[in-house]
Amino acid sequence: MDVTVTVNGHTYERDVEPRKLLIHFLRDDLDLTGSHVGCDTGNCGACSVIVNGTLLKSCMMLAVQANGATIETVEGLSADGQLTALQQAFHEHHALQCGYCTPGMLMSATALLRENPRPSEDEIKKALQGNICRCTGYWNIVEAVKAVAE
Amino acid sequence: MLLREVEYAKPASVAEALGLLAENDGARALAGGQTLINVMKARAASPDALVDLNGLDELKGIELAADGTLTIGAMTTYSELMASAEAKARPILGEVCATIADVQVRNRGTLGGNVCSNDPTNHLPPLMCAIGARMTIVGQAGEREVPAEEFFLGVYMTAVGPGELLTRIAIPAGKHDGFAAVTLGADGTCICNAAASVNGSVRVAIGCVDAVPVVITAGSPDEVAAAVRAADLDPPSDVHASAEYRRHLAEVLATRAAKEAAAR
Ligand SMILES: Cc1cc2nc3c(=O)[nH]c(=O)nc-3n(C[C@H](O)[C@H](O)[C@H](O)COP(=O)(O)OP(=O)(O)OC[C@H]3O[C@@H](n4cnc5c(N)ncnc54)[C@H](O)[C@@H]3O)c2cc1C
Ligand code: FES
Ligand code: FES
């Protein structure tokens, strides 16, 4: 099926099999490998992207369902080569170790800060519930988001 | 994971969707996909065709009638319900939806999908039974309304037959409701849950202990524990809880939900 999507400002048109998940379309067809596959069961959030303004897990949606959509992935955050305040805060607060979860964490925190620029610590934790990190213990991730919120 | 080959259609009306489902025995409705896509990855089901309901405005929206009845479109997501001013007419709905999984799942998962999948650990089947929801099902033959208690038929089975769709859920006015659960981590999968509503007597629906929610009535919250014991539940044992522990949780959570309901 023909699918047209706009990802991080670029429009792509591709022929896609309906069985292909959005995450694989992004990674394999569009070579946007920033979004990761951690669990492939909707649990870990490493594949989180923003589709038409809505944060979702791209392993839980078909690529054909995104036809016509505007998609934001981690690659789009610093498209101009400049880290966003959130990315900078992750850097400064040591909010990543192996970095596998980071693209998803950044997208979830980006979605949160857009909706709620001054989240409380509890709101930050609730917003990141769908993102699992097996390295950091979350502390520094929450600290980084807090730093941007302040 | 690469899914098995599947056809895909995105109808523009419920009539068209019903036509597509009728045309192909192997076709399945796709709502939020937060259960179905995983089921397809695991090959637990491999539909030949998916009929995507996401383009159907007829299945969206939340209306509040003058008598307080809420009518919620099957394709309403948890996040949409939580943000709806109308849905505050029955506050327990938004409160429970806010504890389902995480933001991403709540942004995609729908009320219709939650009740149609009827996973015994899901949050909404017991809640719908406790608060007296009524489901509207449409098929080629027309429309019918089924009370929640008759809607849930077995594990992953509901009154929605092949070729049919759930279109909306009607919920009467009320606010004396409660919900209690023991979950795997905060907002995780339920090990046992209970929803309660107090309207003169107490009505409790317990989840995770049988194929469908178990509905129990009692004169007051203090009588709930005895009523649960009398129901002689035979819950499953698994890695998370033994049958005996689940039976204990059922009593505790039913009482907790009933007390919360009565206190509001
Ligand atoms: C990580 C994770 C954690 C989760 N934790 C929980 C939890 O703790 N509690 C909980 O309740 N849920 C949980 N869920 C499940 C989630 O709530 C699903 O959204 C829900 O069970 C199904 O809704 P859906 O809209 O995604 O439906 P889909 O997955 O699209 O569909 C599910 C089934 O219902 C059928 N269906 C859907 N809509 C209709 C309709 N209108 N008419 C007829 N048939 C229909 C489909 O054909 C399919 O068989 C979790 C999911 C994930 C990924
Ligand atoms: S890969 Fe999508 S949630 Fe883990
Ligand atoms: S930094 Fe390694 S998983 Fe989060």
Side-chain angles (χ1 to χ4, degrees):
Chain A
M1 292 181 77
D2 274 342
V3 168
T4 306
V5 291
T6 302
V7 188
N8 305 327
H10 299 278
T11 300
Y12 302 86
E13 212 185 313
R14 293 286 190 280
D15 183 26
V16 186
E17 274 192 283
R19 62 168 159 172
K20 184 167 276 183
L21 300 174
L22 178 59
I23 182 69
H24 297 310
F25 175 69
L26 293 170
R27 290 180 53 86
D28 303 344
D29 294 15
L30 305 186
D31 205 24
L32 292 166
T33 54
S35 309
H36 292 162
V37 182
C39 65
D40 202 9
T41 56
N43 281 281
C44 78
C47 64
S48 299
V49 300
I50 298 175
V51 177
N52 290 335
T54 301
L55 180 76
L56 53 80
K57 293 168 178 169
S58 60
C59 74
M60 297 297 285
M61 179 176 174
L62 304 173
V64 289
Q65 291 188 280
N67 187 26
T70 299
I71 303 176
E72 297 164 73
T73 70
V74 71
E75 288 92 342
L77 293 182
S78 58
D80 56 2
Q82 196 77 21
L83 295 185
T84 62
L86 180 68
Q87 287 174 309
Q88 190 63 37
F90 265 58
H91 175 70
E92 279 160 19
H93 290 265
H94 195 56
L96 57 144
Q97 288 177 26
C98 80
Y100 203 87
C101 69
T102 312
M105 288 287 179
L106 287 170
M107 297 317 286
S108 292
T110 298
L112 166 70
L113 292 167
R114 244 179 229 173
E115 216 170 278
N116 178 4
R118 299 271 175 276
S120 65
E121 184 164 328
D122 283 347
E123 287 170 332
I124 295 171
K125 289 179 179 168
K126 180 106 180 154
L128 297 179
Q129 228 164 8
N131 294 78
I132 293 175
C133 175
R134 54 109 59 228
C135 303
T136 63
Y138 303 98
W139 185 268
N140 287 348
I141 295 175
V142 174
E143 288 298 305
V145 182
K146 256 166 53 184
V148 183
E150 271 154 16
Chain B
M1 176 79 68
L2 190 58
L3 305 179
R4 217 202 70 187
E5 274 181 57
V6 66
E7 283 172 42
Y8 171 86
K10 191 173 179 183
S13 69
V14 168
E16 191 189 335
L18 290 174
L20 289 164
L21 290 169
E23 222 163 72
N24 185 344
D25 282 349
R28 194 100 167 239
L30 174 63
Q34 303 302 294
T35 292
L36 185 53
I37 300 279
N38 269 348
V39 162
M40 290 172 69
K41 288 177 194 168
R43 302 288 196 274
S46 291
D48 299 323
L50 291 173
V51 178
D52 190 349
L53 307 181
N54 282 282
L56 303 179
D57 288 343
E58 295 164 78
L59 301 185
K60 284 264 181 194
I62 302 175
E63 276 167 42
L64 180 59
D67 69 352
T69 302
L70 270 174
T71 305
I72 304 171
M75 284 302 291
T76 304
T77 64
Y78 311 127
S79 296
E80 284 165 352
L81 184 122
M82 287 159 62
S84 154
E86 287 79 15
K88 305 260 184 306
R90 193 102 201 206
I92 194 77
L93 288 168
E95 291 163 15
V96 172
C97 284
T99 66
I100 296 178
D102 51 55
V103 183
Q104 293 96 316
V105 170
R106 291 194 292 271
N107 282 346
R108 291 292 291 171
T110 66
L111 271 74
N114 195 296
V115 296
C116 286
S117 55
N118 193 26
D119 184 315
T121 67
N122 271 5
H123 283 70
L124 299 189
L127 181 62
M128 294 299 158
C129 290
I131 65 179
R134 303 181 65 85
M135 284 58 174
T136 300
I137 300 170
V138 65
Q140 298 282 32
E143 206 174 80
R144 66 182 194 282
E145 203 184 46
V146 179
E149 263 182 276
E150 291 163 29
F151 181 83
F152 303 105
L153 299 181
V155 178
Y156 310 134
M157 279 171 55
T158 68
V160 180
E164 294 186 320
L165 287 174
L166 172 74
T167 52
R168 55 184 184 274
I169 303 173
I171 292 162
K175 67 176 168 68
H176 301 293
D177 307 318
F179 191 90
V182 168
T183 57
L184 298 169
D187 299 350
T189 304
C190 297
I191 295 173
C192 186
N193 62 24
S197 193
V198 175
N199 186 357
S201 62
V202 187
R203 189 181 160 81
V204 187
I206 308 169
C208 311
V209 293
D210 205 338
V212 297
V214 176
V215 177
I216 280 164
T217 49
S220 73
D222 290 330
E223 294 161 52
V224 166
V228 175
R229 237 170 292 138
D232 226 355
L233 298 174
D234 183 21
S237 276
D238 59 29
V239 290
H240 304 302
S242 64
E244 196 188 342
Y245 180 52
R246 267 206 180 83
R247 213 173 292 124
H248 168 71
L249 286 181
E251 222 177 286
V252 171
L253 294 171
T255 303
R256 215 177 269 171
K259 288 199 165 150
E260 182 192 327
R264 305 179 78 159

